[in-house]
Amino acid sequence: MLSLCSCGSSSVDRDLDRAQSLMTEQPDSVGAKYSPEGALLIIRSIPESGLKSEATRARYALLRTVAEYKTGQKDLSDSLMDIAVREYGGKTGELPLLTAYYNGVRLMNKGAYREAIKELLKARDMARSEGDLFREAMCERDLSGIYKETSQLTEDLRSAKAAWTLFAKAGYKVSADYALCNLGLVYINNVMHDSAISVGNRIMTIAGKDSSLIVNADAILGAAYYAKGDYSSAVGSLRRLVNGKYATHEDSVYLAISLIMSGNREACHALKSRLDASGESSPQKLELDILCSEAGNTSAADMYKQLIHA
């Protein structure tokens, strides 16, 4: 009987080892197999009767949480996470680090930002002490998102820069490229438009055939040039977004405003007609309406300056 129990436990441990290996993200150059879906299938196949010890149960709970999150489930199980936290809280190593990180993610997705920041900072410091650049970068990336939501712009900028630097240093080029896109948006939020333009141009040079990176670059460049008042430069990026059907309502309005401000009144009115037909309203759309209705009484540039001062 002891032998059978031992074999059962070893089988579960081997299954958990396989599942964990399928969810371990490697630098882009390694090319190791990565399949959270496969990991979740393995984990779900493990019977509860096979979880013989608290340590095995905690590892199962943690890895199931990770697999569910990586396969698109954002509302993480409180009960599973509590099991992992009880076992790994206050300890060091790979599993305690993952526990602190995913507990932070769970709290972040619930909108409990203050508690999430504490957990993510704890995980970041653990990753830093263990030399885990990828996990440290992930913590900084998620912290940046929270700081943005809570309007902590200085901290948002610091975390966005750190995430980009760490991903690049660890060899995760794809993650670094998207962290760079986030940094460009953070520069815009911090009214650092020249820095945002520099980032947008850099993304354009590295985008290659990745259309999503090109879209991100155009979004950054369009917003930064528009905010600087360089409407002629903004038109190029905003027009590509609109023509590619990647534009938000605000992007389309900003393009229309940029067109009229750079002297292309005919194209502006054609775009405004489409915006009017959509029925969507916004403060930016109201600015466009006023610009177009008052443009005959005063120059568009002077009118818009008055709006900005107002």
Side-chain angles (χ1 to χ4, degrees), residues 71-94:
T71 52
Q73 183 172 317
K74 300 306 179 186
D75 294 327
L76 301 180
S77 167
D78 292 332
S79 57
L80 287 175
M81 202 69 248
D82 287 344
I83 293 171
V85 169
R86 281 198 301 272
E87 176 68 21
Y88 298 118
K91 297 179 181 178
T92 59
E94 183 180 8

Side-chain angles (χ1 to χ4, degrees), residues 86-252:
R86 281 198 301 272
E87 176 68 21
Y88 298 118
K91 297 179 181 178
T92 59
E94 183 180 8
L95 296 180
L97 170 55
L98 283 177
T99 300
Y101 174 73
Y102 281 97
N103 196 32
V105 169
R106 176 181 69 92
L107 292 165
M108 176 179 67
N109 290 342
K110 292 175 72 172
Y113 293 135
R114 186 185 298 273
E115 294 81 2
I117 287 173
K118 290 179 182 177
E119 286 297 296
L120 290 170
L121 287 174
K122 183 202 304 181
R124 183 201 64 183
D125 292 343
M126 290 171 67
R128 186 176 292 168
S129 67
E130 295 176 18
D132 188 339
L133 296 177
F134 173 76
R135 189 59 55 189
E136 185 182 350
M138 292 291 285
C139 291
E140 293 287 12
R141 184 203 66 179
D142 291 329
L143 284 166
S144 173
I146 295 175
Y147 292 138
K148 188 178 298 179
E149 286 292 323
T150 54
S151 300
Q152 300 179 59
L153 297 182
T154 303
E155 287 301 310
D156 183 13
L157 180 56
R158 184 204 59 75
S159 288
K161 282 182 177 178
W164 169 52
T165 302
L166 289 163
F167 278 130
K169 187 175 180 182
Y172 295 82
K173 182 182 181 303
V174 174
S175 296
D177 289 346
Y178 284 97
L180 185 61
C181 294
N182 181 57
L183 179 58
L185 296 174
V186 173
Y187 277 135
I188 292 171
N189 290 340
N190 280 269
V191 200
M192 301 170 67
H193 301 127
D194 288 332
S195 295
I197 290 168
S198 176
V199 166
N201 286 328
R202 179 168 182 173
I203 295 169
M204 274 295 186
T205 63
I206 65 176
K209 296 181 179 179
D210 189 338
S211 61
S212 60
L213 280 178
I214 296 173
V215 169
N216 281 320
D218 275 329
I220 291 166
L221 290 169
Y225 279 127
Y226 179 86
K228 273 177 65 76
D230 185 350
Y231 301 108
S232 296
S233 297
V235 164
S237 290
L238 292 172
R239 181 173 270 154
R240 282 193 295 272
L241 290 175
V242 170
N243 291 343
K245 303 191 184 305
Y246 299 112
T248 64
H249 168 76
E250 273 114 18
D251 291 332
S252 297

